Amino acid sequence: MGQSDAIAGPQPILAGLRKDGGTRYLHLQEDSYGTQAFGIAVKADQRKLMELIDTALQQMVDDGAWDAQIDAMETELGMHVDLSLNPVTVARSQDDE
């Protein structure tokens, strides 16, 4: 594996690297460089799986489990998640049909 002087990536990933890497990662730049939408892709013939994922994610948002996980991550990794940069929304799956 190669070496680098810096790493760019999503804050939770970088905070995990800092937590697990000890003194190898000294500073996590808290400034945001923009927002990024993430998605989940499934095979075209897996409509039921797609619906289950949509439902599970929406339920996590509705019952507060999503916020609880964010709080736990913040505590575990020693970081703050600014949800105003990437507000939680569940976009219902769509086909290209």
Side-chain angles (χ1 to χ4, degrees):
M1 183 174 246
Q3 295 182 342
S4 66
D5 293 325
I7 300 171
Q11 281 186 334
I13 301 299
L14 298 176
L17 283 172
R18 181 180 60 188
K19 179 178 181 279
D20 293 342
T23 59
R24 293 187 314 176
Y25 302 102
L26 299 177
H27 179 70
L28 175 61
Q29 179 65 31
E30 300 272 338
D31 292 339
S32 175
Y33 297 104
T35 60
Q36 180 63 48
F38 287 87
I40 300 170
V42 299
K43 286 183 169 182
D45 64 348
Q46 297 292 317
R47 184 154 192 69
K48 181 67 175 167
L49 176 59
M50 184 175 63
E51 291 169 358
L52 289 169
I53 291 169
D54 285 347
T55 299
L57 290 172
Q58 189 63 58
Q59 184 177 349
M60 289 178 68
V61 172
D62 293 346
D63 70 11
W66 187 274
D67 288 335
Q69 288 300 312
I70 295 293
D71 292 344
M73 181 183 63
E74 288 178 330
T75 300
E76 167 123 4
L77 299 178
M79 64 172 290
H80 171 69
V81 175
D82 184 352
L83 291 178
S84 70
L85 296 174
N86 289 298
V88 178
T89 57
V90 177
R92 298 314 257 176
S93 301
Q94 296 182 13
D95 293 326
D96 289 333
E97 296 179 38

